[in-house]
Amino acid sequence: MVPHRSEAALSGFLAAQGHRWRRGVKVVVSDGSKSYAAAIAERLGHARHVLDRFHVIGWFAAGLTAVRRDVQRRPEGAKPAFDPEVFRARFVLMKRPDTLGADERSRLDALFETHPRLKAAWDALGELHRFYLAKDRKGALEALDRLADIYRTGDIPEFSDVVDTFLAWHPQILDWHQTGQPSNGRIEGTNNPHPSPTPQSPRLHQPHEPRSPRNTHSPNPPNPAAPIPTKDEGSTTQANAARRA
């Protein structure tokens, strides 16, 4: 684990591992931190940078939640203040379409007849799941086309920031299908058993390390205690505030 979550901290850590070690890194998996992206581009520009799907799905789930909260509101002074049926459906709305039982599907269908905006938001999240479930890049792009159509026609402005963020990160998102579908979920769960509002450490894949979320160790792990050098090796480090997209 690297102290701090800034570009300078990660860039310095990577520099301390040496040129040979860095050249061995083929894939880097991270969350949507701009600070991490800058450090990865500077020190590991040859590697594929992949955005972990957990975080992308989280963005779209937050968009669906925003739509659901707006839809469930009732006029001021009404009792109860929110639609209980919409509120009670908050958990089933987060389920993948292919995992729904018959009763759950019927329940959502009835809800969507009354709330078409909620259906559009749920369909958008469903297409994102299909993007990740696709067996190849072609199938993934087809799912993205359907998602774009839903966003364009579905009256879900709550997704505007989500879509902008997705577009900004689309190379790192699409590369998930080109790199063996890597994930840093296992290492995040090991190092951060409790939810954290700050960006998580990126995952580095080297040739000797199978690209599997179960393999969180390397025969030659980097040294987290290595001193962080000052600007060197042509570094153009700048202090970007770390944030979760």
Side-chain angles (χ1 to χ4, degrees):
M1 298 295 287
V2 180
H4 311 298
R5 306 191 185 274
S6 66
E7 176 190 342
L10 180 57
S11 181
F13 165 75
L14 293 172
Q17 309 315 314
H19 178 74
R20 183 177 179 181
W21 184 90
R22 293 197 305 274
R23 290 301 303 174
V25 176
K26 301 302 180 185
V27 179
V28 186
V29 186
S30 78
D31 61 14
S33 164
K34 286 187 175 180
S35 297
Y36 283 163
I40 290 165
E42 179 183 4
R43 300 295 185 182
L44 298 171
H46 64 282
R48 285 276 188 98
H49 181 191
V50 178
L51 205 64
D52 192 89
R53 71 172 182 171
F54 171 83
H55 300 283
V56 183
I57 290 173
W59 299 341
F60 279 78
L64 171 56
T65 297
V67 174
R68 190 259 303 164
R69 287 175 175 169
D70 180 70
V71 166
Q72 74 185 15
R73 292 194 187 100
R74 286 185 166 180
E76 186 175 352
K79 294 184 180 180
F82 55 84
D83 186 326
E85 289 303 316
V86 177
F87 178 74
R88 293 189 191 109
R90 64 192 185 282
F91 296 119
V92 70
L93 282 167
M94 290 298 169
K95 297 186 70 172
R96 265 179 23 202
D98 59 309
T99 66
L100 289 175
D103 290 344
E104 291 172 325
R105 186 70 213 210
S106 296
R107 178 183 175 190
L108 287 183
D109 286 343
L111 199 64
F112 294 155
E113 286 183 8
T114 309
H115 304 289
R117 273 189 2 98
L118 192 59
K119 182 181 188 307
W122 186 77
D123 284 342
L125 179 58
E127 290 301 341
L128 183 68
H129 282 301
R130 293 183 185 97
F131 165 81
Y132 282 112
L133 291 171
K135 295 181 179 180
D136 53 31
R137 187 182 180 91
K138 180 177 180 294
L141 291 175
E142 289 172 353
L144 288 186
D145 284 342
R146 294 191 296 269
L147 195 161
D149 288 340
I150 293 168
Y151 175 66
R152 188 164 50 247
T153 62
D155 187 24
I156 45 176
E158 292 87 349
F159 277 73
S160 61
D161 288 343
V162 175
V163 171
D164 287 345
T165 303
F166 187 98
L167 292 174
W169 287 93
H170 78 273
Q172 294 85 357
I173 294 172
L174 290 175
D175 270 354
W176 186 82
H177 284 281
Q178 304 294 104
T179 53
Q181 303 179 354
S183 172
N184 61 358
R186 175 76 178 218
I187 198 168
E188 285 194 18
T190 300
N191 292 327
N192 298 278
H194 303 293
S196 170
T198 50
Q200 306 302 313
S201 296
R203 175 83 193 282
L204 311 174
H205 294 277
Q206 292 186 302
H208 56 252
E209 180 186 7
R211 294 175 186 173
S212 164
R214 291 186 175 86
N215 187 338
T216 59
H217 302 284
S218 166
N220 299 296
N223 177 14
I228 297 176
T230 55
K231 286 186 179 181
D232 65 348
E233 302 180 3
S235 170
T236 57
T237 301
Q238 56 186 6
N240 289 334
R243 72 175 180 85
R244 187 182 296 276

PDB file of all heavy atoms in Angstrom, residues 7 10-11 14 28 34-47 49 172 236:
ATOM      1  N   GLU A   7      -1.202  12.043  -7.137  1.00  0.00           N
ATOM      2  CA  GLU A   7      -0.399  11.668  -8.295  1.00  0.00           C
ATOM      3  C   GLU A   7       1.069  11.526  -7.913  1.00  0.00           C
ATOM      4  O   GLU A   7       1.760  10.594  -8.330  1.00  0.00           O
ATOM      5  CB  GLU A   7      -0.549  12.733  -9.382  1.00  0.00           C
ATOM      6  CG  GLU A   7       0.326  12.481 -10.606  1.00  0.00           C
ATOM      7  CD  GLU A   7       0.343  13.652 -11.550  1.00  0.00           C
ATOM      8  OE1 GLU A   7      -0.554  14.507 -11.455  1.00  0.00           O
ATOM      9  OE2 GLU A   7       1.264  13.711 -12.388  1.00  0.00           O
ATOM     10  N   LEU A  10       1.829   8.109  -6.039  1.00  0.00           N
ATOM     11  CA  LEU A  10       1.867   6.915  -6.887  1.00  0.00           C
ATOM     12  C   LEU A  10       3.000   7.005  -7.909  1.00  0.00           C
ATOM     13  O   LEU A  10       3.692   6.014  -8.169  1.00  0.00           O
ATOM     14  CB  LEU A  10       0.532   6.740  -7.609  1.00  0.00           C
ATOM     15  CG  LEU A  10       0.444   5.518  -8.530  1.00  0.00           C
ATOM     16  CD1 LEU A  10       0.745   4.232  -7.764  1.00  0.00           C
ATOM     17  CD2 LEU A  10      -0.919   5.438  -9.198  1.00  0.00           C
ATOM     18  N   SER A  11       3.226   8.183  -8.464  1.00  0.00           N
ATOM     19  CA  SER A  11       4.295   8.345  -9.445  1.00  0.00           C
ATOM     20  C   SER A  11       5.657   8.058  -8.814  1.00  0.00           C
ATOM     21  O   SER A  11       6.499   7.365  -9.393  1.00  0.00           O
ATOM     22  CB  SER A  11       4.272   9.759 -10.032  1.00  0.00           C
ATOM     23  OG  SER A  11       5.287   9.923 -11.001  1.00  0.00           O
ATOM     24  N   LEU A  14       6.069   4.278  -8.159  1.00  0.00           N
ATOM     25  CA  LEU A  14       6.384   3.534  -9.376  1.00  0.00           C
ATOM     26  C   LEU A  14       7.823   3.802  -9.837  1.00  0.00           C
ATOM     27  O   LEU A  14       8.518   2.881 -10.283  1.00  0.00           O
ATOM     28  CB  LEU A  14       5.399   3.907 -10.485  1.00  0.00           C
ATOM     29  CG  LEU A  14       3.950   3.474 -10.261  1.00  0.00           C
ATOM     30  CD1 LEU A  14       3.033   4.061 -11.334  1.00  0.00           C
ATOM     31  CD2 LEU A  14       3.819   1.958 -10.231  1.00  0.00           C
ATOM     32  N   VAL A  28      -2.793  -2.238 -15.953  1.00  0.00           N
ATOM     33  CA  VAL A  28      -3.052  -1.565 -14.682  1.00  0.00           C
ATOM     34  C   VAL A  28      -4.561  -1.400 -14.536  1.00  0.00           C
ATOM     35  O   VAL A  28      -5.221  -0.918 -15.459  1.00  0.00           O
ATOM     36  CB  VAL A  28      -2.383  -0.175 -14.609  1.00  0.00           C
ATOM     37  CG1 VAL A  28      -2.559   0.425 -13.222  1.00  0.00           C
ATOM     38  CG2 VAL A  28      -0.918  -0.261 -14.989  1.00  0.00           C
ATOM     39  N   LYS A  34      -8.389  10.728 -11.233  1.00  0.00           N
ATOM     40  CA  LYS A  34      -7.579  11.441 -12.212  1.00  0.00           C
ATOM     41  C   LYS A  34      -6.114  11.458 -11.790  1.00  0.00           C
ATOM     42  O   LYS A  34      -5.213  11.460 -12.633  1.00  0.00           O
ATOM     43  CB  LYS A  34      -8.093  12.875 -12.381  1.00  0.00           C
ATOM     44  CG  LYS A  34      -9.380  12.992 -13.167  1.00  0.00           C
ATOM     45  CD  LYS A  34      -9.724  14.451 -13.428  1.00  0.00           C
ATOM     46  CE  LYS A  34     -10.956  14.579 -14.320  1.00  0.00           C
ATOM     47  NZ  LYS A  34     -11.296  16.006 -14.572  1.00  0.00           N
ATOM     48  N   SER A  35      -5.874  11.501 -10.488  1.00  0.00           N
ATOM     49  CA  SER A  35      -4.500  11.490  -9.994  1.00  0.00           C
ATOM     50  C   SER A  35      -3.798  10.195 -10.367  1.00  0.00           C
ATOM     51  O   SER A  35      -2.645  10.192 -10.806  1.00  0.00           O
ATOM     52  CB  SER A  35      -4.488  11.679  -8.475  1.00  0.00           C
ATOM     53  OG  SER A  35      -5.029  12.927  -8.118  1.00  0.00           O
ATOM     54  N   TYR A  36      -4.499   9.081 -10.185  1.00  0.00           N
ATOM     55  CA  TYR A  36      -3.913   7.792 -10.561  1.00  0.00           C
ATOM     56  C   TYR A  36      -3.688   7.727 -12.071  1.00  0.00           C
ATOM     57  O   TYR A  36      -2.668   7.224 -12.538  1.00  0.00           O
ATOM     58  CB  TYR A  36      -4.823   6.650 -10.123  1.00  0.00           C
ATOM     59  CG  TYR A  36      -4.763   6.343  -8.645  1.00  0.00           C
ATOM     60  CD1 TYR A  36      -5.761   5.582  -8.036  1.00  0.00           C
ATOM     61  CD2 TYR A  36      -3.724   6.799  -7.851  1.00  0.00           C
ATOM     62  CE1 TYR A  36      -5.719   5.287  -6.688  1.00  0.00           C
ATOM     63  CE2 TYR A  36      -3.676   6.520  -6.506  1.00  0.00           C
ATOM     64  CZ  TYR A  36      -4.676   5.762  -5.910  1.00  0.00           C
ATOM     65  OH  TYR A  36      -4.626   5.475  -4.579  1.00  0.00           O
ATOM     66  N   ALA A  37      -4.656   8.213 -12.827  1.00  0.00           N
ATOM     67  CA  ALA A  37      -4.530   8.166 -14.288  1.00  0.00           C
ATOM     68  C   ALA A  37      -3.297   8.940 -14.753  1.00  0.00           C
ATOM     69  O   ALA A  37      -2.564   8.495 -15.649  1.00  0.00           O
ATOM     70  CB  ALA A  37      -5.788   8.730 -14.941  1.00  0.00           C
ATOM     71  N   ALA A  38      -3.038  10.099 -14.141  1.00  0.00           N
ATOM     72  CA  ALA A  38      -1.877  10.901 -14.518  1.00  0.00           C
ATOM     73  C   ALA A  38      -0.578  10.179 -14.190  1.00  0.00           C
ATOM     74  O   ALA A  38       0.366  10.171 -14.982  1.00  0.00           O
ATOM     75  CB  ALA A  38      -1.931  12.260 -13.818  1.00  0.00           C
ATOM     76  N   ALA A  39      -0.513   9.557 -12.997  1.00  0.00           N
ATOM     77  CA  ALA A  39       0.703   8.839 -12.606  1.00  0.00           C
ATOM     78  C   ALA A  39       0.929   7.610 -13.477  1.00  0.00           C
ATOM     79  O   ALA A  39       2.067   7.297 -13.851  1.00  0.00           O
ATOM     80  CB  ALA A  39       0.606   8.433 -11.135  1.00  0.00           C
ATOM     81  N   ILE A  40      -0.146   6.922 -13.816  1.00  0.00           N
ATOM     82  CA  ILE A  40      -0.033   5.727 -14.662  1.00  0.00           C
ATOM     83  C   ILE A  40       0.436   6.115 -16.067  1.00  0.00           C
ATOM     84  O   ILE A  40       1.298   5.459 -16.654  1.00  0.00           O
ATOM     85  CB  ILE A  40      -1.387   4.987 -14.716  1.00  0.00           C
ATOM     86  CG1 ILE A  40      -1.693   4.355 -13.351  1.00  0.00           C
ATOM     87  CG2 ILE A  40      -1.401   3.919 -15.805  1.00  0.00           C
ATOM     88  CD1 ILE A  40      -3.138   3.917 -13.176  1.00  0.00           C
ATOM     89  N   ALA A  41      -0.110   7.199 -16.594  1.00  0.00           N
ATOM     90  CA  ALA A  41       0.301   7.651 -17.924  1.00  0.00           C
ATOM     91  C   ALA A  41       1.773   8.053 -17.936  1.00  0.00           C
ATOM     92  O   ALA A  41       2.487   7.815 -18.912  1.00  0.00           O
ATOM     93  CB  ALA A  41      -0.573   8.824 -18.371  1.00  0.00           C
ATOM     94  N   GLU A  42       2.239   8.649 -16.851  1.00  0.00           N
ATOM     95  CA  GLU A  42       3.626   9.122 -16.789  1.00  0.00           C
ATOM     96  C   GLU A  42       4.614   7.974 -16.635  1.00  0.00           C
ATOM     97  O   GLU A  42       5.636   7.916 -17.319  1.00  0.00           O
ATOM     98  CB  GLU A  42       3.783  10.097 -15.624  1.00  0.00           C
ATOM     99  CG  GLU A  42       5.205  10.621 -15.479  1.00  0.00           C
ATOM    100  CD  GLU A  42       5.358  11.520 -14.269  1.00  0.00           C
ATOM    101  OE1 GLU A  42       4.383  11.679 -13.509  1.00  0.00           O
ATOM    102  OE2 GLU A  42       6.475  12.048 -14.077  1.00  0.00           O
ATOM    103  N   ARG A  43       4.324   7.046 -15.731  1.00  0.00           N
ATOM    104  CA  ARG A  43       5.299   6.002 -15.398  1.00  0.00           C
ATOM    105  C   ARG A  43       5.048   4.676 -16.106  1.00  0.00           C
ATOM    106  O   ARG A  43       5.958   3.864 -16.247  1.00  0.00           O
ATOM    107  CB  ARG A  43       5.288   5.757 -13.885  1.00  0.00           C
ATOM    108  CG  ARG A  43       5.634   6.971 -13.049  1.00  0.00           C
ATOM    109  CD  ARG A  43       7.052   7.422 -13.264  1.00  0.00           C
ATOM    110  NE  ARG A  43       7.402   8.522 -12.372  1.00  0.00           N
ATOM    111  CZ  ARG A  43       8.567   9.143 -12.364  1.00  0.00           C
ATOM    112  NH1 ARG A  43       9.506   8.771 -13.238  1.00  0.00           N
ATOM    113  NH2 ARG A  43       8.792  10.141 -11.534  1.00  0.00           N
ATOM    114  N   LEU A  44       3.786   4.440 -16.520  1.00  0.00           N
ATOM    115  CA  LEU A  44       3.450   3.157 -17.147  1.00  0.00           C
ATOM    116  C   LEU A  44       2.707   3.398 -18.456  1.00  0.00           C
ATOM    117  O   LEU A  44       1.708   2.744 -18.749  1.00  0.00           O
ATOM    118  CB  LEU A  44       2.594   2.312 -16.193  1.00  0.00           C
ATOM    119  CG  LEU A  44       3.240   1.925 -14.860  1.00  0.00           C
ATOM    120  CD1 LEU A  44       2.209   1.281 -13.930  1.00  0.00           C
ATOM    121  CD2 LEU A  44       4.415   0.985 -15.071  1.00  0.00           C
ATOM    122  N   GLY A  45       3.215   4.351 -19.227  1.00  0.00           N
ATOM    123  CA  GLY A  45       2.528   4.715 -20.461  1.00  0.00           C
ATOM    124  C   GLY A  45       2.431   3.590 -21.469  1.00  0.00           C
ATOM    125  O   GLY A  45       1.563   3.607 -22.340  1.00  0.00           O
ATOM    126  N   HIS A  46       3.291   2.580 -21.358  1.00  0.00           N
ATOM    127  CA  HIS A  46       3.275   1.450 -22.291  1.00  0.00           C
ATOM    128  C   HIS A  46       2.204   0.426 -21.942  1.00  0.00           C
ATOM    129  O   HIS A  46       1.858  -0.419 -22.760  1.00  0.00           O
ATOM    130  CB  HIS A  46       4.637   0.743 -22.265  1.00  0.00           C
ATOM    131  CG  HIS A  46       4.938   0.131 -20.932  1.00  0.00           C
ATOM    132  ND1 HIS A  46       5.373   0.870 -19.845  1.00  0.00           N
ATOM    133  CD2 HIS A  46       4.830  -1.149 -20.488  1.00  0.00           C
ATOM    134  CE1 HIS A  46       5.543   0.077 -18.802  1.00  0.00           C
ATOM    135  NE2 HIS A  46       5.204  -1.154 -19.160  1.00  0.00           N
ATOM    136  N   ALA A  47       1.695   0.463 -20.710  1.00  0.00           N
ATOM    137  CA  ALA A  47       0.753  -0.558 -20.226  1.00  0.00           C
ATOM    138  C   ALA A  47      -0.685  -0.181 -20.582  1.00  0.00           C
ATOM    139  O   ALA A  47      -1.007   0.980 -20.833  1.00  0.00           O
ATOM    140  CB  ALA A  47       0.890  -0.738 -18.718  1.00  0.00           C
ATOM    141  N   HIS A  49      -4.242   0.624 -19.442  1.00  0.00           N
ATOM    142  CA  HIS A  49      -4.905   1.107 -18.237  1.00  0.00           C
ATOM    143  C   HIS A  49      -6.392   0.771 -18.348  1.00  0.00           C
ATOM    144  O   HIS A  49      -7.065   1.220 -19.281  1.00  0.00           O
ATOM    145  CB  HIS A  49      -4.716   2.612 -18.079  1.00  0.00           C
ATOM    146  CG  HIS A  49      -5.340   3.183 -16.846  1.00  0.00           C
ATOM    147  ND1 HIS A  49      -5.464   4.537 -16.629  1.00  0.00           N
ATOM    148  CD2 HIS A  49      -5.886   2.583 -15.760  1.00  0.00           C
ATOM    149  CE1 HIS A  49      -6.060   4.751 -15.476  1.00  0.00           C
ATOM    150  NE2 HIS A  49      -6.341   3.582 -14.925  1.00  0.00           N
ATOM    151  N   GLN A 172     -10.344   3.383 -21.381  1.00  0.00           N
ATOM    152  CA  GLN A 172     -10.011   2.491 -20.266  1.00  0.00           C
ATOM    153  C   GLN A 172     -11.144   1.518 -19.955  1.00  0.00           C
ATOM    154  O   GLN A 172     -10.902   0.416 -19.448  1.00  0.00           O
ATOM    155  CB  GLN A 172      -9.681   3.321 -19.004  1.00  0.00           C
ATOM    156  CG  GLN A 172      -8.422   4.154 -19.122  1.00  0.00           C
ATOM    157  CD  GLN A 172      -8.650   5.507 -19.779  1.00  0.00           C
ATOM    158  OE1 GLN A 172      -9.760   5.828 -20.222  1.00  0.00           O
ATOM    159  NE2 GLN A 172      -7.604   6.315 -19.841  1.00  0.00           N
ATOM    160  N   THR A 236       6.945  15.053 -14.922  1.00  0.00           N
ATOM    161  CA  THR A 236       6.222  16.325 -14.991  1.00  0.00           C
ATOM    162  C   THR A 236       5.092  16.295 -13.988  1.00  0.00           C
ATOM    163  O   THR A 236       3.988  16.770 -14.232  1.00  0.00           O
ATOM    164  CB  THR A 236       5.654  16.548 -16.410  1.00  0.00           C
ATOM    165  OG1 THR A 236       4.819  15.436 -16.758  1.00  0.00           O
ATOM    166  CG2 THR A 236       6.766  16.687 -17.432  1.00  0.00           C
TER     167      THR A 236
END
